Amino acid sequence: MIRPHPTTRRPVAMLRRVAVTAVSLALLAAGMTATSAAAAPAAAPGGKAATAGSFIDSTPVPGGFASWSELLRLQQRMNSAAERITKAAERSPNSGFAGIVADPTNRHLQVYWKGEPPASLVANARATVATKVLPAAYSQRELLAAADRLRAKAGDEITTVGPRADGAGLLVGTQDGLLGATAMAGVPVTVQTKVAAAPATRWDDTAPWWGGAAWRNATTGGGCSTGFGVFKNGNARILSAAHCGNLNNVATDPTGQAMGTVSTRNASTDTLLLSGGSGGRVFNNSTDALGNVVSEFSNQVIGASASQVGNWVCTSGAYSGTRCSIQVKARNLCINVRDFGQVCGQVQAENTTGANAVGQGDSGGPVEIVNAANTLQVWATGTNTAIDDTFTSTACTGYRPTGRVCAWRFYYEDIFSGMAGVGATGVVLG
């Protein structure tokens, strides 16, 4: 896979393609110059205008729902119940919890459990949303241990590995298959072939910096996207992807305005913090049927939410722009990223229409869940890491549609594990 890189906040020139190795995902970062591009939106005079717009209402609603608000209200109830179940399971060292599927198009929450779950836990979930408890062959703890065994034995033959949400075994991504995977793991393994990973503003933002803007590594010349604002030691900092820079690298926007330096970095979660001050909003945009940007605005961040398997999410990278119709397929994955290494805490998601989800330049950019009660607001749920540029590449969209590589399958770091990796304690609210 390749990492997603900068997208919609700042003016940027052509990106350089990241070199590829045999079995990994590609990063989304990109090379760029400080020259402004014609498509870049102008900065608001006298400061930034906090104008908002809906970027999801024009997207077809799946599952027979009358509106995205209706779907998202059910998804939000599912996620609330899923969070309570997950936290309770984590507190019990012998929990049989295996996983959850929170796909609103199913109309009910699916909870997978090895053995009998606590009756009170199920009753509490059903008080929030229709819930089915289904049997699982393995607990999540057993599968995470099996994933560790398989990584130790198979190494770089694996692109991704993590527990299946139904507790039936492991989900493993490879380029060409993996003989003997079940024997090595000690549990059943579902092997996906043709999976590769590479690293994957907008264009003239100002402080306090918002998510979804383009930033330039003045030390290396590469470019990425800003993620959500987060707090560390009481200071508002800018979250982005670790593959975009090293400690003390200088960050600027594409016009050359200083954004600070890389002050904290964790390669194992592919997250970093820029020392510039951040705000509680994220850039988004509406698009036409071809994915071209129609209008740009920003949206209020109202909190953080873990994304569950089956959830519907959107991305907002500086190059590809806002992309929706994206569904979560797996979580708790460890992935091998080309020319970078192993990253854990990853979520796999796919654009269900086969169109672009993210691309080069979108690395470090936000993954968001739209608030059901007010579609002008978003929850922070992740940070773009990598795309499958080998097997799921597709036409690019957004501000830089040419000279880039984009894909419909991608990987992002869960917002909570990403923040923990850099010592952040919460997202900045708008």
Side-chain angles (χ1 to χ4, degrees), residues 7 25 123 142 150 198 200 212 242 270 363 410:
T7 16
L25 302 173
E142 291 173 327
L150 186 57
D270 193 35
S363 275
F410 75 110

Side-chain angles (χ1 to χ4, degrees), residues 94-265:
N94 300 313
S95 169
F97 173 73
I100 292 174
V101 174
D103 180 357
T105 63
N106 290 332
R107 299 306 198 277
H108 58 262
L109 187 73
Q110 295 173 312
V111 179
Y112 291 88
W113 205 279
K114 181 182 178 181
E116 287 295 323
S120 60
L121 200 63
V122 177
N124 289 338
R126 287 175 174 157
T128 302
V129 67
T131 302
K132 287 186 178 180
V133 179
L134 301 168
Y138 300 91
S139 71
Q140 187 172 95
R141 281 189 175 87
E142 291 173 327
L143 293 179
L144 290 173
D148 289 340
R149 291 195 296 269
L150 186 57
R151 284 203 308 274
K153 295 176 180 178
D156 288 345
E157 292 184 75
I158 294 174
T159 306
T160 67
V161 58
R164 284 179 45 162
D166 62 3
L170 294 179
L171 179 65
V172 173
T174 69
Q175 287 209 33
D176 302 309
L178 182 66
L179 294 176
T182 296
M184 286 188 280
V187 300
V189 175
T190 302
V191 178
Q192 295 178 319
T193 59
K194 298 187 181 300
V195 177
T201 272
R202 268 49 155 134
W203 298 94
D204 189 14
D205 195 12
T206 56
W209 309 95
W210 291 345
W215 70 274
R216 177 178 181 269
N217 187 322
T219 306
T220 66
C224 283
S225 297
T226 56
F228 294 100
V230 296
F231 287 107
K232 181 170 184 178
N233 298 328
N235 298 308
R237 299 296 184 234
I238 307 161
L239 189 64
S240 193
H243 68 258
C244 296
N246 293 316
L247 287 175
N248 300 317
N249 284 173
V250 175
T252 71
D253 75 3
T255 69
Q257 184 178 1
M259 299 176 65
T261 62
V262 178
S263 58
T264 307
R265 183 178 185 272

Side-chain angles (χ1 to χ4, degrees), residues 16-29:
R16 58 177 174 79
R17 182 167 181 172
V18 181
V20 189
T21 62
V23 278
S24 54
L25 302 173
L27 297 173
L28 294 173

Side-chain angles (χ1 to χ4, degrees), residues 400-428:
R400 298 294 177 274
T402 59
R404 302 169 54 229
V405 178
C406 298
W408 52 261
R409 177 190 291 146
F410 75 110
Y411 297 81
Y412 63 90
E413 184 70 15
D414 172 79
I415 189 66
F416 293 108
S417 62
M419 288 194 298
V422 290
T425 54
V427 298
V428 178

Side-chain angles (χ1 to χ4, degrees), residues 1 3 21 23-27 151 155-156 158-160 197-199 243 265 267-270 334-344 346 385-386:
M1 288 199 163
R3 298 169 178 161
T21 62
V23 278
S24 54
L25 302 173
L27 297 173
R151 284 203 308 274
D156 288 345
I158 294 174
T159 306
T160 67
H243 68 258
R265 183 178 185 272
S268 66
T269 59
D270 193 35
C334 290
I335 67 175
N336 285 325
V337 183
R338 181 184 314 142
D339 299 333
F340 185 71
Q342 187 178 97
V343 182
C344 293
Q346 289 281 302
T385 291

